[in-house]
Amino acid sequence: MNIRKIEYEIDSAFEDNILTSIPYSQSIWELLSYLEHKHYELSVMEGSIHDKSAGVDNMINFITHPLRVCFKTCTRRKYALKAAYSQSNANAAHEWYGRAYDYNHFCSIFPLVHRKELSLDIEGYDLKTNKDLSQGVPYEAYNRFVHKTGANERSNVDTLAILDAVREHTFYIGNKLAISWTATLSKLVINIFKGSQAARYHLPESWQFSRFTFGEFREIAIAISALSYARYAITTLSAEEFPENGYSQRVWIISKNELIKILTESTELEKATVISVLEYLTFGSKGINYPDAATQPLFDLEDGNLAISPFLFINSDVERNACALFNQIVEDKAIYSSLVDDKEKILFEELKGELAIFGYRCESGKVSGTDLDMAIIDDKNKFVLTVELKWFIEPAEIREVNQRSQEIKKGIKQAKVIRSLLESNDENLYRNILKIDSSYNYYSIVGSFNWIGADGIQDEEIPVIKVGNLMSLIKSCSSLSSVADLLNSRQYLPVPNKDYNVVTINIKSGNWNCEWYGLKSLVE
């Protein structure tokens, strides 16, 4: 059977759910309410930080699939939303979300097949791949389980301070949870929330896009996250006080005009700027036909109201998602491309400042055939570690995985050029840029800000590591040569059956079945 026809049947089977037969606004509320319920379950369950972090990423990926189907197929009309628990609709959302797990894997398999990176054998309705898992998938495990930047940027929000701030302004009227957001209260909650977020931000506020600056976009997204966090905290810590443990209270339904007013007052930005940012954040807006709940987590119910999922906002990587979004919008894509080089310059300066504390010198410059992004120099022990820097949008789906892997592959090639110049004692590199002589030893690597590429594109000669992880190694080792030894032996990578397990799973959509794999962290 034709592969495209199999794909079509798998897609059609996934899209079959009763929530597509109800109005768009109601289907969105049902799906987001179920998502919030899943987040509540994840928040209160026992489990490792690694598993919970991976669980959050999976939840965003899984829910995006049914949301896209509803965006494409549901009836659009003004409709009196019923923001109340419905057993049948909750069951439908549960069933659909459950099938999204398998469907998400199929969405990874078929692009690999089309690129001939994976082959499929078809036996009846059973699909078999030639994926070799005998040596594990250490780079995929690293990308999944090592924090996105390799550094500790986890945010610890002062939940009790936020609850104390909103306590006197929280009401339960007509079976609805409401918080009365005054300008003073919203500013207070936003400031408390922002206090835990600073380490996550690296990009310049001054970047100017077509309708606002990057700083303005980030300010508004963080403000929504902060106000949403208050609702999440109330409905999680006091779940037993609500019917169905707060199932119907977690999604924030608010009129568009009211949200604009709250954000304008709390951020003190121009109303037009707030309106523009909200438009960008709205699912499926700005001509994006294949929307992603991570990059556009705001939902227009098309009756003057908006639906906000606290989960999607408070677990958002604002900078990553903003860059991914701008790169899809016609009037901003060219602007974003022109700013890409700035990101690696920013990264260089950040690392240079940190490394100076340890007595290491940093240099960069143009060399024959490429640019030297960063050289970390230990003059005391006469050692140079050259780093080809990569800072791009972390991939969210298999198409992006391939694109970013090619960028890593290019970085590996550039690192080899640098190593070749070092081996040949290139005068410009040694004398003008590094300011060293031939007695120095050296090692060349690729340092990526948040993702190190797929297993299939790696090179035995050139390690790839997240820069935050690299900095941790440098801080813990007595010399750069010791760091190079750890990198060369790949001791920073997770070890199969020690740090993670590769788990065989059977996935299904409609009549079609396939044996695939998943990863489980063994690190607490």
Side-chain angles (χ1 to χ4, degrees), residues 74-142:
C74 283
T75 301
R76 302 300 242 277
R77 67 171 185 266
K78 287 189 177 181
Y79 174 81
L81 179 70
K82 297 175 182 176
Y85 179 77
S86 160
Q87 182 72 61
S88 60
N89 286 346
N91 288 345
H94 170 77
E95 187 271 342
W96 209 1
Y97 178 90
R99 287 195 285 120
Y101 174 84
D102 287 3
Y103 183 69
N104 194 63
H105 285 298
F106 279 118
C107 291
S108 296
I109 291 170
F110 282 101
L112 294 172
V113 172
H114 292 309
R115 290 201 302 271
K116 302 189 184 306
E117 295 175 26
L118 195 69
S119 66
L120 274 183
D121 288 330
I122 306 168
E123 299 178 8
Y125 284 102
D126 292 328
L127 306 175
K128 297 185 182 298
T129 77
N130 66 339
K131 180 72 174 180
D132 181 10
L133 300 170
S134 60
Q135 302 300 313
V137 281
Y139 289 87
E140 182 178 341
Y142 181 92

Side-chain angles (χ1 to χ4, degrees), residues 65-260:
H65 295 300
L67 288 170
R68 282 173 179 160
V69 175
C70 290
F71 183 78
K72 180 179 72 172
T73 64
C74 283
T75 301
R76 302 300 242 277
R77 67 171 185 266
K78 287 189 177 181
Y79 174 81
L81 179 70
K82 297 175 182 176
Y85 179 77
S86 160
Q87 182 72 61
S88 60
N89 286 346
N91 288 345
H94 170 77
E95 187 271 342
W96 209 1
Y97 178 90
R99 287 195 285 120
Y101 174 84
D102 287 3
Y103 183 69
N104 194 63
H105 285 298
F106 279 118
C107 291
S108 296
I109 291 170
F110 282 101
L112 294 172
V113 172
H114 292 309
R115 290 201 302 271
K116 302 189 184 306
E117 295 175 26
L118 195 69
S119 66
L120 274 183
D121 288 330
I122 306 168
E123 299 178 8
Y125 284 102
D126 292 328
L127 306 175
K128 297 185 182 298
T129 77
N130 66 339
K131 180 72 174 180
D132 181 10
L133 300 170
S134 60
Q135 302 300 313
V137 281
Y139 289 87
E140 182 178 341
Y142 181 92
N143 285 322
R144 177 83 63 85
F145 298 126
V146 175
H147 194 264
K148 286 183 172 56
T149 63
N152 181 15
E153 293 186 351
R154 300 187 187 281
S155 58
N156 294 305
V157 180
D158 191 342
T159 303
L160 292 180
I162 288 179
L163 287 173
D164 285 342
V166 301
R167 182 171 288 112
E168 299 300 320
H169 302 267
T170 302
F171 307 94
Y172 190 61
I173 305 172
N175 296 324
K176 301 296 177 191
L177 174 67
I179 302 172
S180 178
W181 290 109
T182 65
T184 301
L185 177 62
S186 56
K187 285 180 180 179
L188 174 60
V189 169
I190 291 167
N191 285 334
I192 294 170
F193 185 83
K194 283 171 67 176
S196 65
Q197 305 295 302
R200 302 178 68 183
Y201 308 134
H202 305 270
L203 299 180
E205 295 183 353
S206 58
W207 277 3
Q208 181 66 55
F209 288 91
S210 61
R211 291 163 67 178
F212 41 72
T213 66
F214 189 85
E216 290 168 338
F217 181 93
R218 189 169 64 194
E219 183 77 13
I220 292 167
I222 293 170
I224 299 172
S225 301
L227 304 182
S228 299
Y229 188 88
R231 177 172 287 266
Y232 159 73
I234 292 168
T235 55
T236 299
L237 297 181
S238 304
E240 68 281 357
E241 298 179 15
F242 297 101
E244 295 87 31
N245 284 330
Y247 189 99
S248 61
Q249 306 301 325
R250 294 193 171 93
V251 176
W252 184 15
I253 306 299
I254 183 171
S255 83
K256 189 181 298 186
N257 289 337
E258 183 181 356
L259 184 61
I260 291 168

Side-chain angles (χ1 to χ4, degrees), residues 10 17 67 111 194 216 332 415 417 433 509:
I10 287 171
N17 185 276
L67 288 170
K194 283 171 67 176
E216 290 168 338
D332 294 290
V417 171
I433 298 175
S509 184

Side-chain angles (χ1 to χ4, degrees), residues 149-386:
T149 63
N152 181 15
E153 293 186 351
R154 300 187 187 281
S155 58
N156 294 305
V157 180
D158 191 342
T159 303
L160 292 180
I162 288 179
L163 287 173
D164 285 342
V166 301
R167 182 171 288 112
E168 299 300 320
H169 302 267
T170 302
F171 307 94
Y172 190 61
I173 305 172
N175 296 324
K176 301 296 177 191
L177 174 67
I179 302 172
S180 178
W181 290 109
T182 65
T184 301
L185 177 62
S186 56
K187 285 180 180 179
L188 174 60
V189 169
I190 291 167
N191 285 334
I192 294 170
F193 185 83
K194 283 171 67 176
S196 65
Q197 305 295 302
R200 302 178 68 183
Y201 308 134
H202 305 270
L203 299 180
E205 295 183 353
S206 58
W207 277 3
Q208 181 66 55
F209 288 91
S210 61
R211 291 163 67 178
F212 41 72
T213 66
F214 189 85
E216 290 168 338
F217 181 93
R218 189 169 64 194
E219 183 77 13
I220 292 167
I222 293 170
I224 299 172
S225 301
L227 304 182
S228 299
Y229 188 88
R231 177 172 287 266
Y232 159 73
I234 292 168
T235 55
T236 299
L237 297 181
S238 304
E240 68 281 357
E241 298 179 15
F242 297 101
E244 295 87 31
N245 284 330
Y247 189 99
S248 61
Q249 306 301 325
R250 294 193 171 93
V251 176
W252 184 15
I253 306 299
I254 183 171
S255 83
K256 189 181 298 186
N257 289 337
E258 183 181 356
L259 184 61
I260 291 168
K261 179 176 181 293
I262 291 170
L263 294 173
T264 302
E265 291 177 348
S266 60
T267 64
E268 299 181 358
L269 294 172
E270 294 293 328
K271 181 178 179 180
T273 300
V274 172
I275 292 171
S276 293
V277 171
L278 292 182
E279 180 186 358
Y280 274 61
L281 287 171
T282 300
F283 195 75
S285 69
K286 302 301 296 177
I288 296 177
N289 296 320
Y290 199 62
D292 187 334
T295 56
Q296 292 185 307
L298 188 65
F299 294 83
D300 189 347
L301 300 182
E302 302 177 348
D303 63 352
N305 291 315
L306 299 170
I308 297 172
S309 161
F311 167 78
L312 291 176
F313 272 94
I314 65 181
N315 289 288
S316 170
D317 183 336
V318 173
E319 292 193 339
R320 181 267 167 207
N321 292 336
C323 290
L325 181 60
F326 299 148
N327 201 40
Q328 296 178 74
I329 296 173
V330 174
E331 59 263 43
D332 294 290
K333 187 172 184 177
I335 298 172
Y336 173 75
S337 296
S338 70
L339 296 170
V340 166
D341 289 343
D342 284 355
K343 295 192 296 184
E344 285 165 13
K345 293 175 184 175
I346 293 164
L347 184 55
F348 175 87
E349 292 300 328
E350 284 186 0
L351 297 178
K352 181 179 179 180
E354 287 189 54
L355 289 164
I357 298 171
F358 299 93
Y360 296 140
R361 180 164 56 87
C362 293
E363 302 292 349
S364 64
K366 290 190 175 297
V367 296
S368 177
T370 187
D371 290 334
L372 171 61
D373 291 337
M374 169 171 264
I376 306 170
I377 306 166
D378 180 355
D379 290 308
K380 179 180 177 182
N381 296 298
K382 293 193 172 184
F383 195 92
V384 178
L385 181 67
T386 70

